[in-house]
Amino acid sequence: MKIAIAQTNFVVGDLAGNAAKIIETAVRAREAGATLLLTTELGLCGYPPEDLLLRDDFYRDCAHTLDDLRVKIAGITLVVGHPHEIDSRRYNAASVIRDHKIIATYLKRKLPNYTVFDEARYFDPGNVPCVFEHEGVRFGLNICADVWEEPAAIAAHAAGAQVLLVLNASPYHMNKQLSRYEVVHDRVAETGLPVIYANQVGGQDELVFDGASFVVDGKGGLTHQFPAFEETLGYIDLVGGVPVKGDIAPPLAPEAEVYKALTLGVRDYVNKNGFPGVLLGLSGGIDSALTLAIAVDALGAARVRPVMMPSQYTAGMSREDALAEAEALGVRYTEIAIKPVFDAFTHALADEFRGLPEDTTEENLQSRIRGSLLMAISNKTGAIVLTTGNKSEMSTGYATLYGDMAGGFAVLKDINKLLVYRLSNYRNTISPVIPQRVIERAPSAELRPDQTDQDSLPPYPVLDAILAAYVENDVCPKEIIEQGYSRADVERVVRLVRLSEYKRRQSPIGIRITSRGFGKDWRYPITNKYRHRFE
């Protein structure tokens, strides 16, 4: 038999649109000779629907859409994910539709409640395996987190399954695919069942889903690998319940993988929310240069507008490099000098500031002027402002509230500074759009004479290593010091992370590409007197 896997980009809440996409996919799969179509977790409503799942009317509308789908699907057996309510209990479910009937429904057993997942908030767990027969082969169903532990797959095998179908909405982070392979191999080793793993693709707020669906045979061998970050309708031939080896998409290099995640995240956030285009402040520095390249690759040059806003401290090379970046990417380039506005502000504040030395107040004022100008253009045009700050800065508070943090979407929010350099070099291998001078010069906010980032922060190799340990891996400061980092640097970085929590709470959402970003999976209190022991 031929099975189709739909690696689909759904939209949360667009019940009619998602159903129409499923129907269209089913028609294509049927015409290609497939008799069974596997879609992804909660595909009918999109994933994750978050607190929509607390609404009675949402469940009623999902049930109505599922029934409409049942009527319209013909000539193919469909496995579709959807929310499901039974006697006031709510489930993450998958139903099998054949000949206009729902012949089986599976209720997800394992409800993840860690990192970005809150499924225990919304659903009750199921506890019964689901096996259905199709053309003489018995298929068991699991949903996403079910395969990360033993019981659900073992229960399906015990109930007679010969092949395991897994519907997934597994969000991307670096090295995630290796983890998926490992857990699926564990399930295969325990059950001897081939596993057909279908994963959602697309951006949803801070999350990006990479697709990368795959098939493993009963001996653990990879027989199919779908491309990452692309909508795909792929096919698997089964002979006697055994998958016949097919296409295997080559793996992406780490930088290429992250870059695709960022472009997909930007494209879907902008398009799914109906923005006509994007704006960003172009400084001549590496962060804004990379953000510009990602935006153009995601949306096209016509929908991206950079604005250079030089001050009295902006170096001539910064203006030259910003113009070169804009010309290389074919975008409209605008300059708005901020010194006249800065002078007006300082004049208005002269009495308040009389007798006080210049400090970060004047630096932040420049940043806030730039933020106000970008937001004014955004209000006038409808384009959303992309902020350009990176994770190293967001971790330590090296960012200005209502200044460079002003905007609607933070492209590099989960990208540390060293990765910014790696991604910039990678993008230049496609076409040279970021001047080499931008990559090589010392980074600076250019808010005072001769300023560099390292005036206020440890060197980035040290800073990013400490942050990765503390923020992403929850390593205690004492253990970080034992790894060879100076106590002074560790104490300073940890203190900056703690003091900056109030800023991060007010920052725009950004694309998650690590195992722990500053979003759904970072929930530290702002008012917090806990202090780590360093001895």
Side-chain angles (χ1 to χ4, degrees):
M1 77 180 75
K2 179 178 285 190
I3 297 175
I5 295 180
Q7 182 173 289
T8 309
N9 190 343
F10 292 115
V11 180
V12 167
D14 185 8
L15 305 182
N18 294 338
K21 183 170 279 192
I22 292 169
I23 292 168
E24 184 269 337
T25 302
V27 170
R28 288 168 52 205
R30 185 186 66 212
E31 291 176 348
T35 59
L36 175 64
L37 171 62
L38 177 65
T39 62
T40 56
E41 180 179 13
L42 293 184
L44 194 65
C45 65
Y47 188 93
E50 300 185 281
D51 279 7
L52 289 172
L53 293 166
L54 300 178
R55 300 190 60 89
D56 294 341
D57 53 347
F58 186 69
Y59 281 86
R60 288 194 297 269
D61 289 341
C62 286
H64 175 79
T65 305
L66 180 66
D67 192 57
D68 188 55
L69 196 64
R70 175 189 62 77
V71 172
K72 293 179 178 177
I73 289 291
I76 193 168
T77 297
L78 169 68
V79 182
V80 60
H82 59 94
H84 192 53
E85 186 170 31
I86 305 173
D87 297 329
S88 299
R89 301 188 73 182
R90 292 168 171 178
Y91 302 94
N92 183 336
S95 288
V96 183
I97 297 175
R98 178 191 295 157
D99 296 331
H100 308 299
K101 298 177 183 178
I102 295 177
I103 63 169
T105 296
Y106 174 70
L107 309 178
K108 186 176 182 179
R109 294 175 59 140
K110 176 65 176 176
L111 301 177
N113 208 52
Y114 47 81
T115 64
V116 300
F117 302 107
D118 288 310
E119 290 198 27
R121 174 179 173 88
Y122 306 115
F123 297 122
D124 290 300
N127 59 11
V128 178
C130 177
V131 176
F132 68 96
E133 187 170 322
H134 180 72
E135 296 186 4
V137 176
R138 296 185 301 277
F139 291 90
L141 293 180
N142 275 190
I143 299 176
C144 204
D146 285 335
V147 298
W148 289 75
E149 296 183 13
E150 302 95 337
I154 291 174
H157 181 245
Q162 296 171 285
V163 178
L164 191 64
L165 305 177
V166 187
L167 302 82
N168 296 270
S170 177
Y172 168 78
H173 65 69
M174 291 185 291
N175 300 314
K176 184 66 173 287
Q177 188 72 347
L178 293 177
S179 298
R180 295 179 188 133
Y181 286 154
E182 289 173 0
V183 299
V184 168
H185 285 155
D186 288 345
R187 302 296 82 79
V188 171
E190 293 156 2
T191 64
L193 297 179
V195 174
I196 299 175
Y197 184 105
N199 191 32
Q200 174 177 310
V201 70
Q204 171 60 29
D205 294 344
E206 71 191 65
L207 301 180
V208 173
F209 298 87
D210 54 326
S213 305
F214 61 94
V215 181
V216 174
D217 64 25
K219 297 180 180 179
L222 186 69
T223 66
H224 299 72
Q225 175 61 69
F226 288 16
F229 305 105
E230 299 175 18
E231 277 198 289
T232 304
L233 179 59
Y235 299 96
I236 300 146
D237 289 321
L238 284 185
V239 176
V242 177
V244 178
K245 193 171 180 63
D247 294 335
I248 296 181
L252 296 169
E255 292 81 8
E257 186 180 273
V258 172
Y259 197 87
K260 280 183 173 288
L262 294 173
T263 54
L264 179 57
V266 170
R267 182 182 305 119
D268 275 2
Y269 190 81
V270 172
N271 290 340
K272 289 180 179 181
N273 286 290
F275 293 105
V278 299
L279 295 160
L280 67 146
L282 193 61
S283 68
I286 193 167
D287 295 325
S288 65
L290 178 60
T291 304
L292 177 64
I294 292 166
V296 171
D297 290 341
L299 302 169
R303 298 178 66 193
V304 180
R305 183 178 174 188
V307 183
M308 173 60 164
M309 294 167 283
S311 74
Q312 62 270 38
Y313 304 119
T314 302
M317 72 175 75
S318 296
R319 298 174 72 173
E320 293 168 5
D321 291 341
L323 179 58
E325 293 155 16
E327 289 178 341
L329 288 162
V331 294
R332 173 187 172 187
Y333 176 80
T334 302
E335 277 197 12
I336 303 175
I338 69 166
K339 188 176 185 303
V341 185
F342 179 76
D343 289 344
F345 269 87
T346 54
H347 177 75
L349 292 164
D351 288 342
E352 289 290 332
F353 291 174
R354 195 177 309 280
L356 301 174
E358 288 193 4
D359 55 17
T360 55
T361 304
E362 284 75 16
E363 296 181 24
N364 290 340
L365 186 55
Q366 296 169 62
S367 181
R368 289 181 177 128
I369 290 167
R370 292 184 171 114
S372 294
L373 291 172
L374 288 173
M375 290 307 301
I377 299 171
S378 173
N379 291 161
K380 189 65 70 174
T381 64
I384 187 174
V385 175
L386 302 180
T387 64
T388 61
N390 60 63
K391 189 173 189 177
S392 305
E393 296 168 346
M394 292 304 302
S395 298
T396 56
Y398 200 68
T400 304
L401 273 176
Y402 326 120
D404 55 329
M405 291 173 65
F409 199 59
V411 180
L412 306 181
K413 187 174 183 178
D414 203 26
I415 307 291
N416 69 33
K417 191 71 170 187
L418 294 182
L419 186 51
V420 168
Y421 284 104
R422 288 167 54 196
L423 292 174
S424 298
N425 282 314
Y426 163 74
R427 180 57 182 83
N428 277 353
T429 66
I430 300 172
S431 62
V433 297
I434 300 175
Q436 194 62 30
R437 181 169 65 179
V438 173
I439 296 173
E440 294 175 351
R441 66 186 288 205
S444 171
E446 294 192 321
L447 298 172
R448 64 173 185 266
D450 302 318
Q451 183 183 34
T452 67
D453 291 0
Q454 303 303 284
D455 298 338
S456 306
L457 298 170
Y460 279 115
V462 173
L463 174 64
D464 285 349
I466 295 172
L467 289 172
Y470 182 70
V471 173
E472 294 171 18
N473 298 315
D474 286 324
V475 179
C476 73
K478 180 177 180 292
E479 292 174 348
I480 299 174
I481 295 169
E482 290 171 353
Q483 293 174 6
Y485 297 96
S486 76
R487 175 168 176 160
D489 281 340
V490 174
E491 286 184 342
R492 182 183 180 193
V493 171
V494 169
R495 177 177 178 273
L496 288 172
V497 171
R498 175 174 54 81
L499 292 176
S500 303
E501 189 61 41
Y502 78 101
K503 287 187 178 182
R504 287 189 292 272
R505 286 288 185 95
Q506 299 179 68
S507 66
I509 68 165
I511 302 165
R512 175 184 183 264
I513 61 94
T514 69
S515 58
R516 196 174 199 188
F518 289 124
K520 291 164 67 70
D521 47 348
W522 179 270
R523 305 180 193 183
Y524 274 73
I526 297 172
T527 305
N528 173 19
K529 291 297 184 181
Y530 177 73
R531 300 295 180 267
H532 298 283
R533 297 181 64 178
F534 285 80
E535 297 178 354

